[in-house]
Amino acid sequence: MKIGSIDFGERPVFLAPMEDVTDIGFRLLCKRFGAAMVYTEFVSAEALIRDVKSTISKLTISDTERPVGIQIYGRDTEAMVEAAKIVEQAGPDVIDLNFGCPVKKVAGKGAGAGMLQNIPKMLEITRKVVDAVRLPVTVKTRLGWNHEQLIITTLAEQLQDCGIQALTIHGRTRSQMYTGNADWTLIGEVKRNPRITIPIIGNGDIHSLAEADTAFDTYGVDAVMIGRATFGCPWIFSRECLTFDEKMDVLEELLRINVERIDEKRGILHTRRHLAATPIFKGIPDFRQTRIAMLRAETMTDLMGILEDVRRRLR
């Protein structure tokens, strides 16, 4: 499977771009465990062209994490084109256009999945970005705005005709947000369309490499992208079985990375999402108070002490 000149081999599994999750520290861990491609947090085109410091910082990438994509979103054609040019200077391997984010502050303003209600504008943005940059341009979107507007089979052809080099499809509508089940049947239908020649990447409700293998076998996609199941679980990309202690080592490393990269207070806050979601604490008896303490800890010393106590309890 290839995007532009990047050869990912057979059945690659990608890390999905996610706000407040796929920072550089987490991406490097996912890459270490086998993610074939990682993406930055999505970046606002308007904020980029206004040179907002916090947004510009999201463009920082490392050669160690390559291939890496930077994803942008917006509703204005000129802003998206200008943002794509800025992103190109940051040196990613791929520029991805987000037409799939369902949250109100994005889709409600016509960007992200909001573009599913304005297909001519989506196609105009895509064409002009493709024409403006030399890097491969890809798109991530959903099945449609709602179940009465399942337009992805037609939309995939239209986006391909705009010159994109891969398409990621999340198997939900915007109205579903992240509820219900992802519908992979339409993703498979897009892949089976003889007119489609670009790689099709499937996304939604993949919780393990075994489920990714099933998606490859059943729907014929070229790649699988994993999103929320990676929270607190960067080893999800590995086919090796890690011990509990090894997984704890990874979570503690992520904490240290975040504290060193940002500062103690915000680094801990940034790590809490992963500590709250990690599957390794599930099933531990009488864990509720420990979980509360873990998510309330405000210093590195206190949090590391709690994590070490958890280790001792399970030895």
Side-chain angles (χ1 to χ4, degrees), residues 23-67:
D23 56 79
I24 190 167
F26 188 65
R27 297 195 307 267
L28 285 168
L29 286 176
C30 291
K31 175 65 68 171
R32 181 198 302 172
F33 285 107
M37 177 135 96
V38 298
Y39 292 80
T40 65
E41 303 169 75
F42 70 173
V43 178
S44 163
E46 294 287 348
L48 262 189
I49 62 179
R50 292 200 315 270
D51 202 28
V52 175
K53 184 178 179 181
S54 60
T55 300
I56 294 294
S57 69
K58 293 180 181 179
L59 302 185
T60 302
I61 56 178
S62 161
D63 284 341
T64 309
E65 62 182 308
R66 293 187 185 279

Side-chain angles (χ1 to χ4, degrees), residues 190-204:
V190 171
K191 177 57 192 172
R192 290 190 300 272
N193 181 350
R195 274 214 69 227
I196 295 294
T197 58
I198 59 173
I200 300 299
I201 304 160
N203 174 226

Side-chain angles (χ1 to χ4, degrees), residues 35 38 84 113 151 155 205 234 237 258 273 285 293 295 305 311:
V38 298
I151 61 172
L155 179 60
D205 290 351
F237 297 98
N258 285 335
R273 179 192 298 267
L295 299 180
R311 285 186 194 254

Side-chain angles (χ1 to χ4, degrees), residues 110-141:
M115 279 290 166
L116 289 164
Q117 292 189 303
N118 190 350
I119 299 305
K121 174 63 75 171
M122 180 195 293
L123 299 178
E124 176 186 271
I125 288 173
T126 304
R127 276 193 302 269
K128 293 203 171 181
V129 169
V130 168
D131 290 342
V133 298
R134 296 179 299 279
L135 290 173
V137 175
T138 61
V139 162
K140 188 171 190 283
T141 190

Side-chain angles (χ1 to χ4, degrees), residues 271-293:
T271 309
R272 281 181 184 172
R273 179 192 298 267
H274 296 285
L275 295 176
T278 184
I280 70 173
F281 299 137
K282 291 180 181 177
I284 299 177
D286 303 318
F287 193 72
R288 183 171 181 272
Q289 291 305 315
T290 302
R291 182 184 298 278
I292 291 171

Side-chain angles (χ1 to χ4, degrees), residues 78-90:
E78 286 67 34
M80 287 288 278
V81 168
E82 186 60 30
K85 291 178 180 177
I86 294 170
V87 165
E88 186 170 40
Q89 295 305 307

